[in-house]
Amino acid sequence: MITVQKSLFENQTAIIQMISSGMPLKKILTFLMDSIENSGDSFGWHGAIMLYNPLLNQLGETVSSSLPINFINSIEPVEVSPYGGACGTAAFLKQPVTVTDIESNPLCEKDRHTAIVHGLRACFSIPVLSSKKELVGIIALYSREVGKPNEEILNAVDFYSKLVSLAIEISNSSTNRSFQYSFEGNKCLNGSNEKVLIELNTALESEEFEVYYQPYFGVNEQLLGVEALIRWNHPHLGLLSPASFLSIAEETGFILDIEKWVLTQSIYKLKKLHQSGWPDLSLSVNISAQQFDNPRFPEVVAELLERMSFPPRNLTLEVTERFLIHQENIDIVNRLRAIGIKLSIDDFGTSYSSFQYLKDLKVDEIKIDRSFISNLEMDKISQKIVKMIITLGHQLNLNIVAEGVETQKQLQILKKMKCDSIQGFLFSKPIPFDHFKKMSFTK
Ligand code: C2E
Ligand code: MG
Ligand code: MG
């Protein structure tokens, strides 16, 4: 007992020194997580600390040295809600949640399969609260055996969670001093786009942006291509999704630089995949309407493709229905298609003039918006709309992609309706490039 207390005391001193020396938060949290795992006879419980992102109301930025990386990637980000599994629920209730058997507990419905595949059978999630009792993260412990943690582990978690909270709180407060504004949804709170623009520029220069890749498949589940989706590894706020910064980028015109960067990066990476056993993989890149204000846009893309020896037929540019149809835009679309590049209408069905687009714009593909797909199982009207889009699209020789497919049942319905391609969490979330090669997709 005395030895246990001594090591707790020594660890506590070491952690406080780490915090006061300004060591990066992730390093401190890794040390803390290792300390929890090695305390007493907590052998068999492996854990992670997930940071809370209040802007997205999600848990992400996971720190763990012992849980399988594929498991972490597939559960992250965790929604803070009663439907967010054991971790999301613990964060939502600000109460510990114990799941003694992942296989039978209804809380684990969403991630059960992933956990079982990785041999994880029980889970214990503890919210980490700040001194003001606000959620700052969670500690999640998993065991390969059915059951709950013993007294010794509970004591260790209780002791270390206070240090986890201290480390996060101090890191957040020093962040807030240097970080003058914050994002909320799509808005910059202090209204100063100029500051955001400086931050975005710095982010581009410091390589804080990263392209994630979400695969899409044919109905026989063969991999056809990937969609490039931007992320911002913000030094203080963690991983930001495009929703939190793209509209500011659009307002400031910075979107043009970001998109050029995304195009260059993703073509370069896809070229690498072409050379390493995926020779015909297609790439889809989202493009904002502003690109079409530049009459040289088709030449810019053509030059890029030529420089990288990337076949134009393997590139699809996705525009949303917010894209305005002017004569100049139609010309640019036609010139892009003349180069061999494909055009796709993203989020199809969300605007009132969806079908007008098909009349005026010659495109190759439509992507049926996720809102129709998520209602497909229950809602007969969504079923009829989707069926109609597919039938009409086929008559116009368009490739039809369903976005946001999350369940087997949705997949079966779409197969029956003869939808051509499928994209969604059922197969894969967007993943960093390095993870792509490790996944076993059917070619
Ligand atoms: P999008 O092009 O319609 O991309 C699909 C979005 O739906 C992605 O969100 C993806 O993560 C998400 N998603 C895919 N499958 C599922 C699913 O099964 N369930 C659920 N719940 N979501 C799913 P993400 O990555 O946050 O991107 C959001 C939007 O940001 C994109 O919508 C796209 O319009 C825009 N975006 C992303 N990267 C870029 C870029 O480089 N340029 C431009 N202009 N826009 C971009
Ligand atoms: Mg898209
Ligand atoms: Mg979409």
Side-chain angles (χ1 to χ4, degrees), residues 348 367-379 382-383 386-387 389-390 400-407 409-411 413-414 417 419 421-424:
F348 189 83
K367 297 185 85 168
I368 307 174
D369 190 65
R370 180 151 62 92
S371 53
F372 296 106
I373 309 302
S374 53
N375 290 329
L376 210 51
E377 287 166 50
M378 321 290 279
D379 177 15
S382 287
Q383 280 183 17
V386 171
K387 176 78 193 140
I389 297 176
I390 295 174
I400 315 293
V401 186
E403 293 191 299
V405 179
E406 293 186 350
T407 67
K409 208 150 173 215
Q410 291 164 356
L411 174 66
I413 297 174
L414 289 160
M417 291 179 175
C419 186
S421 314
I422 309 287
Q423 186 176 10

Side-chain angles (χ1 to χ4, degrees), residues 214 227-231 241-242 246 255 259 262 286-288 318 320 346-347 370 403-406 423-426 430:
Q214 188 181 28
E227 176 173 3
L229 293 159
I230 192 166
R231 300 287 181 269
S241 71
L246 275 192
I255 188 79
E259 285 176 352
V262 171
N286 295 283
I287 295 292
S288 63
E318 297 187 5
T320 65
D346 206 350
D347 306 338
R370 180 151 62 92
E403 293 191 299
V405 179
E406 293 186 350
Q423 186 176 10
F425 292 176
L426 176 64

Side-chain angles (χ1 to χ4, degrees), residues 255-256 259-260 287-294 297 332:
I255 188 79
L256 299 175
E259 285 176 352
K260 199 166 156 203
I287 295 292
S288 63
Q290 286 185 44
Q291 292 289 0
F292 289 76
D293 293 338
N294 172 9
F297 180 59
I332 291 188

